[in-house]
Amino acid sequence: MSAGLFDKYATLRGNYESLMATSPRNPFGVVIERPLSATVGIIEGRETLLFGTNNYLGLSQSEAARDAAIRTAENMGVGTTGSRIANGTFGLHQKLEKALADVFQRKHAMIFSTGYQANLGTISALVNKDDILFLDADSHASIYDGARLSGAQVIRFRHNDPADLEKRVARTDKATGARLIIAEGIYSMTGNIAPLNEFVEVKKRHNIPLMVDEAHSFGVLGAHGRGVAELQDCEKDIDFIVGTFSKSLGTVGGYCVTDHDEIDLMRLCSRPYMFTASLPPEIIAATLAALEEIKDRPELRQKLQDNAARLHGGFKSVGLNTSNFISPVIAVTLEDVPQAIAFWNALLDAGVYVNLSLPPATPDNRPLLRCSVMAAHSAEEIDRAVDAFGKIAKKLNLT
């Protein structure tokens, strides 16, 4: 008898059932019934502080973006019903592409329907089975999935380790296919910041293009909010920058910006771009409005950095194990899954929502309580979260 469709998930089923047996609620099914603001939502019928949303600048609740979306939906409807290469290109799509290219000071931009598809579509358009990809070991799932879709050979290098990248790249200097290095600006699980300026030196020595995913760093770092590459003064040496609208911009969608004129060829061989309905006009309009806010309100980035430092310092002060990087993503590392489940549930009971990240999705197979801080958080809200973390850590004998 042939296997059933779901037999392959027997181990996953067992792990899931074990988790649910020890947790009073499903950590992967939390419902925010209604956001009251960027920082407070109704969960389980009560007001809860939101520290797990990636809404770094609070722009998901932007009045300008909301009003732009309403006006555009009234004038243009709510969808495109087609892909960009069929009927799905509106003037607004081209306007947003131009705006993104201008922000990044690049010649070209290409927008996708999600940030996930931006990585899938860009990577699979740039490399194929004859080529080699060098990926940071902690790369996001969308990067690994893009690599699989491309069929390219994948060589992983140690997380944030330019010397290890150099060694692995040097071994392939006689390869006949194309090569591409991919890194991220801020790593989404831990908040670690990549040494892009050092990766650039490897790229230059071996004449290999470099692609950077600035999903969690756009709008956050750099004098103009362009991300880690701007912060480290190496933008001109990055060949492709990929990102998302669903973090600092507060909407949904993704993009690739570049100076390579072959971008129109990429549109014709990127299956995630070709075979997906394009973003609806109201989302494009809201994104354009949010992009203007990022340009016009640099004080949001300063407030975000201040808030990140306050939350990070608070966690350190109560004895929690966090990365030494100060970024809007701050993860508290715990030793085992039961401990993490108990801590996460206690936080939600105390009115603080964060993300529970469990192995094997975590970098070193230890569970994380992943927090994301916003420019919109008040000092009082941050201190309340730190206080809740500190009290629960003591109760669980962790500090």
Side-chain angles (χ1 to χ4, degrees):
M1 179 182 295
S2 60
L5 286 174
F6 298 102
D7 289 355
K8 65 179 77 70
Y9 299 122
T11 300
L12 177 63
R13 182 193 300 275
N15 291 340
Y16 180 72
E17 289 175 350
S18 295
L19 184 151
M20 294 307 296
T22 60
S23 178
R25 52 172 70 87
N26 181 355
F28 313 120
V30 173
V31 177
I32 300 175
E33 294 144 28
R34 183 165 62 94
L36 301 181
S37 67
T39 63
V40 179
I42 301 296
I43 297 178
E44 297 178 351
R46 62 181 183 274
E47 292 190 12
T48 303
L49 291 176
L50 302 177
F51 277 90
T53 65
N54 301 318
N55 191 15
Y56 301 128
L57 301 181
L59 293 181
S60 72
Q61 300 298 313
S62 160
E63 291 185 12
R66 178 201 63 196
D67 292 347
I70 292 169
R71 288 194 305 270
T72 303
E74 289 174 342
N75 294 328
M76 300 184 68
V78 295
T80 65
T81 72
S83 74
R84 289 292 305 278
I85 64 168
N87 61 292
T89 293
F90 288 9
L92 278 175
H93 294 94
Q94 294 178 325
K95 183 178 180 180
L96 178 55
E97 286 177 335
K98 184 179 186 309
L100 284 165
D102 289 346
V103 165
F104 280 96
Q105 300 179 347
R106 299 292 175 130
K107 292 167 64 176
H108 307 290
M110 179 177 177
I111 58 174
F112 295 83
S113 297
T114 66
Y116 175 85
Q117 287 177 312
N119 270 327
L120 246 64
T122 301
I123 295 168
S124 61
L126 292 175
V127 293
N128 63 24
K129 63 181 179 59
D130 300 317
D131 303 326
I132 300 173
L133 279 175
F134 299 91
L135 306 185
D136 186 291
D138 287 0
S139 290
H140 190 267
S142 60
I143 293 175
Y144 279 113
D145 288 352
R148 291 189 188 96
L149 183 60
S150 76
Q153 177 187 351
V154 172
I155 297 176
R156 302 198 310 170
F157 59 92
R158 285 196 294 269
H159 176 54
N160 274 358
D161 191 334
D164 193 52
L165 172 62
E166 172 82 44
K167 179 176 66 176
R168 295 174 189 277
V169 165
R171 291 171 180 167
T172 67
D173 277 344
K174 294 183 180 180
T176 56
R179 297 181 293 173
L180 176 66
I181 300 167
I182 302 179
E184 298 177 49
I186 292 177
Y187 283 81
S188 61
M189 279 292 171
T190 60
N192 292 350
I193 297 172
L196 295 184
N197 50 354
E198 296 181 60
F199 291 153
V200 159
E201 294 307 311
V202 177
K203 162 220 157 86
K204 287 179 176 179
R205 282 192 291 274
H206 297 272
N207 193 29
I208 303 178
L210 172 61
M211 171 182 147
V212 175
D213 181 349
E214 296 268 24
H216 291 267
S217 41
F218 175 70
V220 171
L221 297 178
H224 302 90
R226 293 197 293 268
V228 175
E230 182 185 26
L231 179 71
Q232 297 178 358
D233 194 26
C234 59
E235 288 180 283
K236 67 181 184 300
D237 294 306
I238 310 296
D239 294 271
F240 303 92
I241 294 177
V242 172
T244 182
F245 304 148
S246 63
K247 308 298 186 277
S248 290
L249 286 161
T251 60
V252 67
Y255 60 86
C256 170
V257 296
T258 183
D259 285 327
H260 288 271
D261 293 331
E262 293 84 356
I263 195 165
D264 283 336
L265 295 178
M266 292 171 59
R267 296 180 195 272
L268 299 177
C269 59
S270 173
R271 294 173 70 85
Y273 178 89
M274 292 172 66
F275 298 109
T276 301
S278 63
L279 283 169
E282 70 274 19
I283 295 298
I284 296 287
T287 304
L288 280 163
L291 196 61
E292 287 300 311
E293 288 204 66
I294 287 179
K295 289 193 294 183
D296 295 342
R297 300 179 64 193
E299 69 275 9
L300 289 177
R301 287 191 293 282
Q302 185 58 57
K303 181 70 184 307
L304 178 60
Q305 293 306 314
D306 293 345
N307 284 352
R310 189 180 191 97
L311 185 63
H312 185 271
F315 284 165
K316 289 291 189 183
S317 73
V318 296
L320 296 171
N321 182 13
T322 69
S323 166
N324 290 325
F325 290 97
I326 297 177
S327 79
V329 178
I330 301 171
V332 174
T333 302
L334 301 173
E335 292 304 318
D336 58 57
V337 171
Q339 186 184 82
I341 291 171
F343 205 137
W344 179 84
N345 276 288
L347 281 170
L348 199 52
D349 289 338
V352 179
Y353 170 69
V354 303
N355 306 126
L356 175 63
S357 301
L358 300 177
T362 54
D364 63 356
N365 282 321
R366 288 189 294 173
L368 303 174
L369 297 174
R370 179 190 177 277
C371 308
S372 52
V373 68
M374 307 179 216
H377 280 123
S378 67
E380 179 190 14
E381 288 172 332
I382 293 170
D383 292 347
R384 282 169 54 196
V386 170
D387 183 63
F389 266 89
K391 287 178 177 176
I392 294 166
K394 281 187 178 179
K395 187 176 180 180
L396 296 176
N397 296 317
L398 301 180
T399 58

